[in-house]
Amino acid sequence: MNLSKTIGDFFQHVSEAAARIFGPNDDKYPETGVQPFDGDPNRGEEWS
C-alpha cells in the first residue's frame, strides 16, 4: 500500500466518525416520558 492511499483511508475514517458524532440523531428509542419514582432513596450508611 502506498502512503497516499493510507493517508486517504485514515482521513476517510476520521471524517466518517466525525460525521456520525456531530450529525443528526438517529436513535430509535420509544418516547417514554417522565417515569415516577416508587422507591426509597439510597442515603448510605449515615442514615440507617
Side-chain angles (χ1 to χ4, degrees):
M1 232 194 264
N2 60 16
L3 184 60
S4 63
K5 179 159 176 31
T6 303
I7 292 172
D9 288 345
F10 170 75
F11 281 115
Q12 180 180 358
H13 289 295
V14 170
S15 64
E16 287 173 359
R20 180 149 172 88
I21 291 170
F22 296 109
N25 192 0
D26 61 351
D27 295 336
K28 303 278 191 273
Y29 299 118
E31 294 291 329
T32 57
V34 177
Q35 299 294 317
F37 180 73
D38 290 334
D40 295 327
N42 183 4
R43 298 186 183 200
E45 295 294 325
E46 63 189 59
W47 293 94
S48 296

